[in-house]
Amino acid sequence: MSPRYDEAPELIPQNFPEVHQPSAAPEVANTYGQHTSATPVKPEESAGYTGFAPVEHPPPSSFTYDYQTGYGPTLPSEHGRARQRILGCSVLVFILSIIIALLSTAVIGLAAGTGVEASRANDAEARLAALSASPTTVTVTAPGPTSSDFSAIDKGCSTNSAGVTGTDYESQFYNNPSFKIYCNSDAPNNPLSSLFVGNFDDCIDACASYSFYIPSHFPSNSTSGNATCAGVSFIPAWTNRTFAFDGGAPGNCYLKPGPQNQTALNNPNIGGSAVHAAILDTQS
């Protein structure tokens, strides 16, 4: 069977681009009035020539144009992110404003404090000048002790001598000797010993202690008059050692030997200070 014309393979239809032939180069006038044709540019010498008309594509949004380097990637600070601002100001300007405000406050406070201190200094100088212009002499007299100051240490003789005179005091130690109190009186005879005590009771107990220990420690003197304390003289003002030192007194309690009796008591005469006596009660 003879082949038919329509049994041959069919060609796939192709849409080939048309080749663009560049137009003839324009003539260029030379300096002598003659026309010379410009050297044509070969299609293969033009960069990127493919035979198609060039299509310009806009640069992507992530690129920016620079006049020296052309298009380049957009930096993060220039694309997609705005600069941080505080109260309409940049962060740097805001921080500088705070620093300036703090420094201004410190300067104002320092100036105010300096002014106050200067004012005080001027006032002090003015007062000193006034005192220098009219000096005054101030005499301070230390008040001496009064009788009421000693009522707690003299068994009440300073405030109630009549009520206390003639009363008895019995020592709690040294075989419990008893003494009779006489306010505003001084026991006679030279003292056996002097000492500082806290109150009238301690002075009487010291007398009882003397009579207890001396005979036992000095048996040979047990029969002498100096072995027994028969009375005391107590000066309450000299309990304060400052007053005692000023009066040259070595104590405020003086132990006296016998004999002692009421009729032998002296009126005190020790610079106006009160003296109270206690004598051993031989009848007890």
Side-chain angles (χ1 to χ4, degrees), residues 180-183 185-187 200 232-234 265 275-279:
K180 195 171 290 293
I181 307 299
Y182 295 96
C183 298
S185 299
D186 182 21
F200 201 179
V232 299
S233 294
F234 177 69
L265 295 176
V275 181
H276 310 303
I279 61 176

Side-chain angles (χ1 to χ4, degrees), residues 60-91:
S61 59
S62 61
F63 283 74
T64 56
Y65 182 79
D66 185 88
Y67 287 100
Q68 295 180 353
T69 61
Y71 285 101
T74 303
L75 298 178
S77 61
E78 299 175 354
H79 177 73
R81 187 180 66 181
R83 293 185 178 181
Q84 297 182 356
R85 307 182 72 82
I86 301 176
L87 299 178
C89 303
S90 65
V91 176

Side-chain angles (χ1 to χ4, degrees), residues 4-279:
R4 296 173 57 181
Y5 70 92
D6 55 353
E7 290 180 354
E10 296 181 358
L11 296 177
I12 298 174
Q14 300 290 334
N15 293 325
F16 294 100
E18 297 179 357
V19 178
H20 175 72
Q21 298 295 335
S23 59
E27 295 181 353
V28 179
N30 57 18
T31 55
Y32 299 100
Q34 298 177 357
H35 293 277
T36 58
S37 60
T39 304
V41 179
K42 296 181 180 180
E44 60 272 12
E45 293 180 357
S46 61
Y49 178 77
T50 59
F52 300 96
V55 179
E56 294 184 359
H57 297 280
S61 59
S62 61
F63 283 74
T64 56
Y65 182 79
D66 185 88
Y67 287 100
Q68 295 180 353
T69 61
Y71 285 101
T74 303
L75 298 178
S77 61
E78 299 175 354
H79 177 73
R81 187 180 66 181
R83 293 185 178 181
Q84 297 182 356
R85 307 182 72 82
I86 301 176
L87 299 178
C89 303
S90 65
V91 176
L92 178 61
V93 173
F94 183 75
I95 294 175
L96 291 177
S97 300
I98 292 177
I99 295 175
I100 294 173
L102 293 176
L103 292 177
S104 301
T105 304
V107 171
I108 294 173
L110 180 61
T114 303
V116 171
E117 293 300 327
S119 178
R120 291 179 179 175
N122 292 335
D123 292 343
E125 291 180 357
R127 289 194 298 269
L128 180 61
L131 292 175
S132 301
S134 57
T136 57
T137 302
V138 179
T139 302
V140 179
T141 303
T146 62
S147 59
S148 60
D149 296 333
F150 306 120
S151 61
I153 63 173
D154 64 3
K155 300 187 70 65
C157 282
S158 59
T159 56
N160 185 22
S161 60
V164 176
T165 298
T167 59
D168 294 327
Y169 173 80
E170 182 178 347
S171 176
Q172 301 300 311
F173 311 97
Y174 321 113
N175 296 327
N176 308 112
S178 180
F179 293 81
K180 195 171 290 293
I181 307 299
Y182 295 96
C183 298
N184 299 317
S185 299
D186 182 21
N189 302 331
N190 293 326
L192 298 170
S193 179
S194 64
L195 62 157
F196 283 99
V197 295
N199 51 53
F200 201 179
D201 291 356
D202 291 344
C203 184
I204 299 173
D205 285 337
C207 182
S209 173
Y210 183 93
S211 299
F212 180 81
Y213 285 109
I214 291 299
S216 62
H217 290 295
F218 302 97
S220 60
N221 295 330
S222 60
T223 58
S224 70
N226 293 336
T228 302
C229 176
V232 299
S233 294
F234 177 69
I235 301 92
W238 290 351
T239 305
N240 186 322
R241 294 198 176 196
T242 300
F243 293 111
F245 293 155
D246 291 343
N252 63 347
C253 175
Y254 296 84
L255 309 183
K256 302 291 186 70
Q260 297 287 342
N261 54 66
Q262 183 180 359
T263 58
L265 295 176
N266 301 319
N267 293 325
N269 184 18
I270 308 177
S273 297
V275 181
H276 310 303
I279 61 176

